[in-house]
Amino acid sequence: MNTSTPAPAPLAAATLDAAVAALRAGKPVGMPTETVYGLAADARNPEAVARIFALKGRPLDHPVIVHLPAGAALHDYASEVPAFAEALAKTFWPGPLTLILRRQPWVSDAITGGQDTVGLRMPAHPVAQQLLVAFGGGLAAPSANRFGHISPTTATHVRDEFGSDLPIVLDGGPCAIGIESTIVDCSGARPRLLRPGMLSVDAIERVVGQLDGDTQLAPRASGMLEKHYAPRAPLRLVSRAELERAELERGDREHGELARTPHARVIALGSMPAGCSGVVLPDDPDRYARGLYEALRALDHGGDAPILLESPPRTPSWLAIHDRLGRAAAGSGEH
Ligand code: TXA
Ligand code: MG
């Protein structure tokens, strides 16, 4: 995992004060993290947490991750912390890893979705930490997108999602990682992978040994996938050969393309035909992840024009990207 992007500027005192005052008043704030932007609210105020659910249009039984200031104790929120969870937090926090732990009784159902566990993460983004430390407590934050839509990776994306419904969006620049955190369930006897992320299974297994859960690239039926991370346009995952064939078949009819290397048509014509748009993302998982959601937003014009997406290799370093692409394709109504 390579997180080398320019260091985001710290918040000005007045901006930070306004954000903290809003949070204390129970209002949501758009917050950058190193993975994706979050929609933050005071984790100790169930009404504030309910407001983020209402703003997102998210069902109430979906649990939300609590973001912690550096130095916070896991036991503030978790009733049981197995040694493997301690080891993961010690090794990877602050960073793009969420741990699911048995909750303290005081943690509200608004956060846990009524479950007896809570998701905890200490983000590494300096602006997130500036906010968390100034606020002085945990912030519940789902990704800052309307339910089922693509996660935001810039402050502009967040403003595009919520407009005047969300007056405070802190700008921490583009997210260095670009897809959501790796989630490991630590509430059972053994750690279990719930959601792959750019913090790899390999890195985690070096600390805690073999993970339970689907850590391979097992193909999943689209009906099994949550409708999530979806652009509005139909999205089709295709091989390189299929991409080039589909391109010929579609001719100049409108479509979008997300390729890993410049395709024949761009090379031959110097540009895409009118009405068609193409994005080429780097053939490197870290840089691909960083650009993925921005590219999907750029290609998603809301119409029926399909997005053809060149499928990345099925190797472990692309696991999290495949997970998100599979969900996006499933959610878009085409596969
Ligand atoms: O990178 C991230 O994780 C971003 C940034 C903002 O931190 N957050 C994020 O939140 O992706 P959200 O709400 O979009 O997704 C959180 C995921 C959901 O799939 C939810 O089901 C799972 O975390 N989750 C949260 N608490 C859980 C719990 N107690 N048990 C099982 N899953 C949980
Ligand atoms: Mg989300």
Side-chain angles (χ1 to χ4, degrees):
M1 197 176 46
N2 167 9
T3 56
S4 58
T5 43
L11 295 175
T15 310
L16 184 61
D17 289 350
V20 169
L23 291 169
R24 295 220 167 106
K27 293 181 189 148
V29 165
M31 169 179 79
T33 85
E34 70 277 30
T35 55
V36 300
Y37 274 69
L39 190 57
D42 181 356
R44 290 183 181 261
N45 178 347
E47 283 162 27
V49 177
R51 265 181 218 120
I52 52 182
F53 277 73
L55 199 52
K56 271 186 73 102
R58 181 177 181 160
L60 294 175
D61 60 351
H62 281 222
V64 63
I65 296 168
V66 177
H67 296 68
L68 301 173
L74 280 170
H75 280 286
D76 288 350
Y77 287 83
S79 59
E80 283 167 46
V81 183
F84 59 78
E86 290 275 11
L88 288 174
K90 190 160 174 276
T91 311
F92 297 115
W93 280 3
L97 173 68
T98 297
L99 302 177
I100 307 295
L101 291 156
R102 300 226 167 262
R103 69 161 156 177
Q104 287 284 4
W106 72 264
V107 180
S108 73
D109 285 345
I111 286 174
T112 66
Q115 306 188 50
D116 62 356
T117 54
V118 61
L120 299 174
R121 172 160 115 77
M122 196 175 279
H125 196 294
V127 170
Q129 278 303 333
Q130 212 186 342
L131 181 67
L132 286 158
V133 169
F135 178 69
L139 293 173
S143 52
N145 51 281
R146 303 266 182 196
F147 182 63
H149 198 213
I150 302 164
S151 294
T153 54
T154 66
T156 303
H157 295 165
V158 183
R159 292 192 196 103
D160 289 348
E161 290 281 330
F162 298 108
S164 59
D165 290 346
L166 183 66
I168 303 185
V169 179
L170 302 176
D171 192 343
C175 300
I177 292 176
I179 65 174
E180 304 80 355
S181 60
T182 306
I183 304 183
V184 177
D185 182 359
C186 297
S187 67
R190 294 277 318 137
R192 180 182 174 82
L193 183 70
L194 290 188
R195 178 174 75 182
M198 295 312 286
L199 177 65
S200 68
V201 168
D202 202 41
I204 293 170
E205 289 187 336
R206 268 183 253 131
V207 177
V208 294
Q210 212 181 336
L211 287 175
D212 287 349
D214 180 11
T215 58
Q216 305 300 313
L217 294 163
R220 286 184 283 177
S222 65
M224 300 290 289
L225 294 167
E226 266 184 274
K227 188 181 173 195
H228 249 170
Y229 313 113
R232 292 179 181 92
L235 182 85
R236 235 160 56 207
L237 279 172
V238 295
S239 69
R240 176 73 191 192
E242 285 166 330
L243 178 73
E244 293 184 4
R245 209 175 323 124
E247 201 174 71
L248 287 177
E249 280 165 13
R250 289 199 67 80
D252 289 355
R253 275 181 298 146
E254 200 182 337
H255 71 279
E257 284 182 25
L258 182 56
R260 285 184 298 109
T261 42
H263 51 78
R265 186 126 195 192
V266 170
I267 292 166
L269 300 178
S271 71
M272 296 288 285
C276 303
S277 41
V279 174
V280 178
L281 284 176
D283 202 8
D284 158 81
D286 290 328
R287 290 189 298 142
Y288 188 103
R290 198 176 299 154
L292 176 62
Y293 289 159
E294 167 96 46
L296 289 177
R297 277 173 191 268
L299 291 170
D300 188 16
H301 303 302
D304 295 336
I307 303 172
L308 304 175
L309 195 148
E310 183 185 354
S311 195
R314 288 219 161 249
T315 55
S317 54
W318 292 88
L319 175 71
I321 291 166
H322 267 288
D323 174 78
R324 303 312 188 273
L325 294 178
R327 290 171 197 253
S332 78
E334 247 189 84
H335 206 53

